[in-house]
Amino acid sequence: MRKYTASLSAVAVALAVAGCQQSDGPQGEKISIEKNPYPSTYQPMPRQSTLITNATVLTGDGQRIDAGDVYMVDGQIKQVGIDLDVQADVTINAEGKWVTPGIIDVHSHLGAYPSPAVESHQDGNEMTSPNTAAVWVEHSVWPQDPGFNRAREGGITTLQILPGSANLFGGRSVTLKNVPSHTMQGMKFPEAPYGLKMACGENPKRVYGSKGVLPSTRMGNMAGYRKAWIDATEYKRAWEKYEADYDAGKNVEAPERDITLDTLSAVLDGDILIHNHCYKAEEMAMMIDLGKEFGYHSGTFHHGIEAYKIADLLAENGNCAALWPDWWGFKMEAYDMVQENVAIVDAVKNSCAIVHSDSDTTIQRLNQEAAKVMYRANDNGFDIDEAHAIKWITSNAAKSLGVADKTGTLSAGKQADVVLWNQNPFSVYAKAEQVFIDGAKVYDRNDEKYQAQSDFMLGQR
């Protein structure tokens, strides 16, 4: 079986679906599309069995264990409880300290918009077409970005890198493990699904309206999405017909390859998750309906300033909402904000509220960004404790990224992504003391051996 491993030039959809032509004679070699041509090469760092004892443990699934123990073996959470009777290579007495799952940021641009923030490094926004689903942000990620190290110092163990929001379809995202690496593939989270960045509202209509092309209005945005999904539906149908005809013994020609439609059809197959930059309530509702029209799930809404207005609709349709605690007012679609936004979304049964950063600085204190929400909500009549609020940056975030079966909670069998904090992580004084990824210590505030520096920073003052 011959596989495509390199991109072919994009062609008109009419040509792309013009394959499946039957001819006389024996079958040619079957064509199939390699879905993962840039696989993860991630390998865990050296690790030992580790027992953390006497800590206040927030498990990430709503539980709090006082004077609790966390036991990590072979890169996994082995046990969580009180007074565990186990043997470990390393025992850490964490009396007075707190333990949480590793923090997950579902919205980052590290590596694609790295530091130093100079024009030659601005590789996250392919502003050349309203539909750039062909691009993959991983091909822009610079793993030497010092921001990865700063984020790790704040307890970030997993993060999704997204392309920018200028286009209706911005391209594929990638989920990374926040480990030092010389290559992007060495950070790539094994088996994590790809995401597709979409964008509603002002950004695409401003960028392309200024160029005199569709879209220049919100109705133009919607027309652009629908046209793209119609093309993707036809492309998917053409490949399915080719597969069926070939398997039936017919000598048929494969459809032409189109890497834009590869991504969109993979969404229709359920292999790629939607991550949609969308502020306004009515637009999020339209995007839910758009997904229903074309048979895909509308995924996670990012920024969602007005998510509180449709919290019930989001929960009913299984949409996560990745939100800021207090960014608002910087443009009209970001105007109608309440600081209880996350808490209101979270209050509905079966909800999936998340606190995200979209920033190379706030990613360093995402725990305290969540603390802002908890404080503001409780000051206005909510009753949210630390055991619940930690879900906004751990288990709910893992659900959004499609990795909840692997990380996000301190549960037996999950990856040992763990943060040891010097005190309550929702305190303004909280600092991550030690960070573990797959049971390997990747950061220690008190040991320079575990304070990785980017090659770029060596020799810098």
Side-chain angles (χ1 to χ4, degrees):
M1 179 182 292
R2 180 157 60 94
K3 293 182 179 290
Y4 283 114
T5 58
S7 301
L8 300 181
S9 298
V11 296
V13 174
L15 292 176
V17 300
C20 305
Q21 300 298 315
Q22 187 171 350
S23 60
D24 296 331
Q27 284 185 302
E29 188 177 7
K30 187 174 182 181
I31 304 299
S32 69
I33 296 173
E34 173 57 64
K35 294 184 177 182
N36 189 26
Y38 310 100
S40 170
T41 60
Y42 165 77
Q43 293 293 326
M45 297 176 68
R47 57 199 181 191
Q48 300 172 294
S49 61
T50 303
L51 175 65
I52 303 175
T53 66
N54 300 317
T56 302
V57 179
L58 305 179
T59 62
D61 57 8
Q63 299 182 68
R64 169 175 170 161
I65 303 173
D66 293 318
D69 302 344
V70 177
Y71 183 40
M72 299 177 270
V73 180
D74 295 329
Q76 295 186 334
I77 302 294
K78 190 70 172 180
Q79 294 183 57
V80 178
I82 298 174
D83 294 330
L84 297 182
D85 184 14
V86 297
Q87 297 296 317
D89 297 325
V90 176
T91 298
I92 301 169
N93 185 350
E95 185 174 359
K97 301 178 182 181
W98 292 55
V99 173
T100 70
I103 306 304
I104 300 171
D105 191 355
V106 303
H107 193 119
S108 176
H109 300 292
L110 291 181
Y113 284 106
S115 300
V118 294
E119 185 177 357
S120 61
H121 278 176
Q122 306 301 293
D123 289 320
N125 226 347
E126 183 62 37
M127 294 185 285
T128 53
S129 170
N131 184 354
T132 57
V135 304
W136 300 21
V137 76
E138 65 190 61
H139 299 146
S140 284
V141 170
W142 182 46
Q144 295 296 307
D145 183 357
F148 288 118
N149 298 325
R150 303 291 82 78
R152 192 180 312 115
E153 293 166 9
I156 301 293
T157 57
T158 300
L159 64 169
Q160 177 179 225
I161 311 302
L162 289 156
S165 54
N167 306 335
L168 300 175
F169 299 91
R172 292 200 196 196
S173 68
V174 65
T175 297
L176 303 178
K177 286 179 170 287
N178 194 15
V179 294
S181 176
H182 294 298
T183 68
M184 173 282 301
Q185 285 171 269
M187 303 175 73
K188 200 170 181 179
F189 196 124
E191 300 180 12
Y194 281 109
L196 172 62
K197 175 70 174 289
M198 295 178 64
C200 299
E202 291 185 20
N203 286 13
K205 78 187 188 78
R206 180 186 71 248
V207 170
Y208 293 98
S210 67
K211 298 177 181 181
V213 299
L214 186 144
S216 66
T217 62
R218 285 183 164 85
M219 61 185 175
N221 287 352
M222 200 67 173
Y225 304 133
R226 297 185 74 212
K227 176 63 166 61
W229 289 121
I230 289 168
D231 292 346
T233 299
E234 294 304 313
Y235 184 75
K236 178 174 182 289
R237 182 179 294 123
W239 275 96
E240 288 173 344
K241 185 177 189 306
Y242 165 74
E243 292 274 350
D245 287 348
Y246 192 95
D247 291 346
K250 299 178 182 178
N251 185 25
V252 287
E253 180 182 347
E256 290 285 348
R257 182 83 181 276
D258 185 314
I259 58 174
T260 294
L261 297 174
D262 282 349
T263 291
L264 297 181
S265 63
V267 173
L268 299 178
D269 285 333
D271 296 333
I272 294 178
L273 306 178
I274 295 291
H275 291 275
N276 199 332
H277 163 116
C278 212
Y279 288 81
K280 294 174 69 63
E282 68 273 15
E283 288 185 287
M284 287 183 270
M286 282 191 292
M287 299 307 287
I288 290 172
D289 286 341
L290 180 70
K292 291 177 179 177
E293 180 181 5
F294 291 99
Y296 68 88
H297 189 264
S298 43
T300 299
F301 291 108
H302 291 242
H303 310 333
I305 294 294
E306 297 182 10
Y308 66 95
K309 299 181 181 182
I310 54 165
D312 53 347
L313 181 64
L314 296 172
E316 178 185 343
N317 286 279
N319 295 106
C320 292
L323 311 169
W324 291 301
D326 53 7
W327 283 19
W328 66 283
F330 47 90
K331 54 182 173 177
M332 283 306 302
E333 65 184 3
Y335 184 77
D336 203 1
M337 169 68 169
V338 297
Q339 291 184 327
E340 299 78 28
N341 191 17
V342 175
I344 294 171
V345 171
D346 179 73
V348 181
K349 185 179 179 180
N350 298 322
S351 65
C352 179
I354 298 163
V355 174
H356 72 345
S357 79
D358 190 23
S359 165
D360 60 354
T361 54
T362 55
I363 194 175
Q364 301 172 33
R365 55 177 189 274
L366 205 58
N367 55 308
Q368 291 160 344
E369 294 295 290
K372 292 179 187 178
V373 177
M374 185 176 71
Y375 171 82
R376 179 58 59 194
N378 288 343
D379 199 42
N380 284 275
F382 288 80
D383 184 16
I384 299 170
D385 61 16
E386 293 92 342
H388 185 83
I390 198 69
K391 295 165 64 176
W392 301 335
I393 50 176
T394 58
S395 55
N396 287 0
K399 177 182 176 182
S400 167
L401 299 183
V403 295
D405 60 329
K406 300 175 177 65
T407 191
T409 63
L410 301 179
S411 308
K414 293 279 187 78
Q415 295 171 357
D417 299 340
V418 177
V419 183
L420 173 63
W421 304 88
N422 67 329
Q423 58 182 280
N424 186 330
F426 293 93
S427 166
V428 71
Y429 301 107
K431 295 179 179 179
E433 284 197 348
Q434 295 186 43
V435 179
F436 300 84
I437 296 178
D438 283 321
K441 184 158 66 171
V442 296
Y443 176 71
D444 189 323
R445 186 170 292 275
N446 300 309
D447 189 339
E448 289 186 354
K449 295 194 301 291
Y450 298 96
Q451 297 174 9
Q453 291 296 321
S454 163
D455 286 352
F456 178 81
M457 293 300 295
L458 296 178
Q460 301 290 328
R461 288 180 176 269

